[in-house]
Each structure stands twice: as structure tokens, then as C-alpha cells.
Amino acid sequence: EKQGFKHYMLKEIYEQPGVFRAGLASYISENDHLKLGLPKGFVERIERVEIIACGTSWHASLVGKYLLEQIAGVPTSVQYASEYRYSPPPSLSNTLVIGVTQSGETADTLAALELAKLRGDRCLGITNRVESSIGRIADAVIDTQAGIEIGVAATKTFIAQLLMFYILALEFGITKGSLSSERSQELIDGLRQLPAYMERILESQERYIEELSRQFTHTKDFIFLGRGINFPIALEGALKLKEISYIHAEGYPAGEMKHGPIALLDEDVPVVAIATPGSVYEKVLSNSQEAKARDAKLIGVAPLDDPAAHEVFDYILPIPVVDEIFSPILTVIPLQLLAYHVAAHRGLDVDQPRNLAKSVTVE
Ligand code: M6R
């Protein structure tokens, strides 16, 4: 049931703080012990991680790579499952291969994971459907516990996948001793603060984004920019917009703009930049400035009270300032709302976009 929401997608966007809170309660005990439930010794001897996925799950995996490398120091690669299955990387010992799939039925992801299993790699599945086919292939499965997602556009399952990667990175960091207990405590405390911030964004921004979206009803192209941990969120913002609104959208790492895509910009191509305080904040602001100089309309997912951001952006979708490492959990929400409202203004069937299926069970 849609419970008063016009579409399942909007309902599922609103379910995200609850999904995150419940996931935290399931996987981190009150006295801060991790409870992923992996078999004993599962991550101990692992030296590298390869992640395979498609679509939005692939974007979550890119954030996962950032977390596994930056939190736990584990070298991680991410490949599209449809590529991995025909050109797998050289087989190395002590590799954990993680297949990430909301549905657990994506044909390419299953085939790629099966291949990894045949090669003798340890295999982990991250899925929202533990009873699905991935459960039969993987040596262990982590249940994202987001509840059934009906909208074809993945939203709450994406947030739940991200949470699993935070917890997995903590698990690796603690087991391998690469994470100090102070930092691990800081990360756990930080995760617990996020649901309230997510709620605040939903409460304070939806009206504004609905209004703002109206002016993009006839827009033909969008560019999304991000860097570091928010580069995958730029990709995700672009994918959400294209799949439900049918507007052409591209996500780019902001620093790559000048190597080609900047030629696309003019007053008809809005640019959405994710600019959150942290290691690349000033860089993203200056990349955005370059876009502005080409007359592009600039929308910033940025802190509300920084004059530097106000100077660059025509519109700000404000997000609370948190440790950069948590920012994707917050920055993705305004982008989901933007995609949703643009598509809704265009009168499209948001929950059942053309040519797409909720799970892609054929190659
Ligand atoms: O079920 P999966 O997570 O394996 O699905 C992967 C993609 O098909 C999926 O994420 C697709 O890109 C979504 N429609 C995105 O919203």
C-alpha cells in the first residue's frame, strides 16, 4: 500500500531513515559490537576485495570501495558484472568477491559470482532477498533488510547497501587491526546520528525541491558532478533522473569536466554539484564556478550557511554538515527527490518506467 504517497518511489524515499535505523539496530549491538553474522574467520586472511554489481548496486559498490579502502585499508576494485563475467581480473589468492544485488536475481551478477566461485574465490552476497538465487551461490550472505521495494528505481535498498558497506568496512578494519578503536567508535557514533539528519532533509526540502523541479520539466540534458566519496552519488543522481524522467543525464567526477564534458555546457544544461565540506570541497566549488562561467544553471547539494557556496550556486539543496565519510547517506536524498519530482511533473509513470524491469533476470 502507498500509505497516502502518490507513488511507491516517494514512499520508499521516506522509508529510508527507518531502514537505516533498523539496519543499525540489527547489525550493531547496543554496546557497539558488530553483528554481521559472517562465518568465523571469514575476513581474516582476505587481502583484497573485488565487487561486482549492476546499476544502482554498482554505485553503492563504488562507495563501498571508498569505505573499504579509506576505513579498513583493504584494496578494492569494482567491476560491472556484465564486464567481469567476460573479462575477469587475474585470479589472486585471498580475494573476497562480493556480489551486490538488491533482487538477488540479476543474471549478470549471478553469472559473475558463479565464475568467481569456480575460480576458488571466497564469495559474499549483499542482497535484499536472502531467499533469492544469490544465496545459493555465495558462501555467506548479508541481508540488507530494507523491506520489499516496489518502485523500479532503487532508493531505500541503495541506502541499505551503503549501510552494509559501512559495517563491513568496520568489520574489516577491526579484524585486521587497521582501524583504531577511537576511530571505530567515532564511526559508529556518527552512523547513529544519520537517521535524524535524513529525516530533517526530507521534512525541510521536499516542498522546495518539488517547486524547483517544475522549471526542469522540459530540460533535455543534466550534468551531475561529485568528487571522492560523492562521485558515485553524482552517478546515482544521474541514473535516477534518466530512468524515471527520460531526461539525458550524466554523472561526472567534477575534475574531469575540463577534459571534454565542459563543451556541452550552456544555459540550457543545468549542473547539479555535490559540494560537501571535506577534502575536496573547495575543488568542487571551483569546478562548479567553471561551469557557471559557461552560463549553466548551478544547483548545489551543499551546506546552507557557507557564503562561498551561495556565491557559486543559483540554488542550494542544503544538507547538514557531517564527517565527509557519511555524506553520501545525506547527499543522495535530495537527488532522489529531484529525480522523482521532475518525473512526476512530466506526468510519467514513476514506479514503472518504460523499458525497465525491477529485476533483470536475462543477460
Ligand atoms: O537487483 P539489482 O540490485 O541487481 O539490480 C541492479 C540494477 O538493475 C538496478 O539497480 C537498476 O539500475 C535500478 N533500476 C536502478 O534504480
Side-chain angles (χ1 to χ4, degrees):
E1 264 316 293
K2 289 188 209 144
Q3 290 163 5
F5 289 97
K6 198 162 169 225
H7 296 98
Y8 283 108
M9 180 181 175
L10 192 58
K11 169 175 173 272
E12 287 160 358
I13 289 173
Y14 271 85
E15 281 170 359
Q16 293 179 115
V19 164
F20 201 87
R21 212 174 258 127
L24 279 171
S26 286
Y27 290 117
I28 306 181
S29 74
E30 271 169 34
N31 52 4
D32 299 335
H33 289 295
L34 305 183
K35 303 188 291 180
L36 272 181
L38 296 175
K40 218 174 151 14
F42 198 78
V43 304
E44 251 143 49
R45 297 191 27 214
I46 296 299
E47 286 165 14
R48 68 191 66 75
V49 169
E50 286 169 5
I51 314 178
I52 45 190
C54 305
T56 287
S57 295
W58 185 76
H59 298 153
S61 304
L62 290 177
V63 176
K65 167 187 161 72
Y66 187 101
L67 298 175
L68 286 163
E69 293 187 339
Q70 306 304 321
I71 293 178
V74 183
T76 302
S77 66
V78 183
Q79 216 172 325
Y80 285 118
S82 54
E83 292 296 319
Y84 183 101
R85 61 184 295 193
Y86 296 113
S87 42
S91 189
L92 297 168
S93 55
N94 300 334
T95 300
L96 175 66
V97 179
I98 309 178
V100 183
T101 165
Q102 174 281 126
S103 62
E105 299 293 353
T106 298
D108 284 320
T109 307
L110 297 179
L113 202 63
E114 243 155 16
L115 175 65
K117 193 179 179 184
L118 268 176
R119 303 202 311 171
D121 292 324
R122 182 164 292 177
C123 293
L124 173 67
I126 298 182
T127 184
N128 204 43
R129 296 290 190 94
V130 278
E131 72 289 356
S132 67
S133 304
I134 196 166
R136 289 197 293 277
I137 302 168
D139 301 305
V141 170
I142 297 176
D143 183 352
T144 52
Q145 296 185 357
I148 301 274
E149 186 175 67
I150 293 175
V152 163
T155 53
K156 64 175 178 170
T157 54
F158 176 71
I159 283 283
Q161 288 168 345
L162 293 188
L163 176 59
M164 297 309 118
F165 275 119
Y166 283 95
I167 299 174
L168 193 62
L170 280 164
E171 175 94 16
F172 264 102
I174 293 167
T175 311
K176 298 178 88 60
S178 49
L179 185 64
S180 71
S181 51
E182 294 74 36
R183 181 63 177 151
S184 110
Q185 191 60 52
E186 226 172 71
L187 291 170
I188 291 174
D189 295 343
L191 286 171
R192 292 212 170 107
Q193 286 168 8
L194 293 174
Y197 287 134
M198 297 161 83
E199 276 158 359
R200 198 196 294 172
I201 293 173
L202 288 166
E203 278 158 22
S204 63
Q205 277 194 56
E206 208 214 320
R207 277 279 172 75
Y208 176 65
I209 294 177
E210 179 178 9
E211 211 29 60
L212 178 70
S213 308
R214 210 178 286 281
Q215 61 179 287
F216 302 119
T217 314
H218 302 292
T219 298
K220 297 221 155 37
D221 307 278
F222 256 92
I223 303 277
F224 289 75
L225 301 177
R227 285 182 91 137
I229 196 169
N230 279 297
F231 163 50
I233 303 304
L235 296 177
E236 176 61 7
L239 179 62
K240 288 288 91 100
L241 186 70
K242 69 186 114 177
E243 73 176 327
I244 60 169
S245 77
Y246 317 146
I247 293 174
H248 168 239
E250 285 193 52
Y252 253 94
E256 271 293 302
M257 277 298 283
K258 55 182 157 312
H259 300 286
I262 201 163
L264 294 170
L265 297 185
D266 61 24
E267 70 278 8
D268 296 324
V269 182
V271 173
V272 182
I274 305 167
T276 55
S279 56
V280 289
Y281 182 51
E282 281 76 20
K283 300 282 171 200
V284 176
L285 288 182
S286 84
N287 297 140
S288 305
Q289 192 69 57
E290 290 156 19
K292 200 180 166 132
R294 273 78 191 176
D295 298 327
K297 213 170 265 171
L298 260 287
I299 302 162
V301 178
L304 186 56
D305 43 16
D306 181 7
H310 278 275
E311 210 165 286
V312 180
F313 297 119
D314 300 303
Y315 306 97
I316 289 191
L317 309 181
I319 49 149
V321 175
V322 292
D323 183 332
E324 177 179 30
I325 202 129
F326 299 124
S327 56
I329 300 292
L330 305 182
T331 55
V332 74
I333 296 175
L335 301 189
Q336 294 168 338
L337 289 172
L338 181 72
Y340 171 77
H341 281 297
V342 171
H345 286 317
R346 283 161 74 94
L348 297 169
D349 186 352
V350 173
D351 288 330
Q352 294 284 339
R354 68 185 182 201
N355 307 340
L356 293 173
K358 184 66 185 161
S359 58
V360 183
T361 54
V362 292
E363 184 176 0

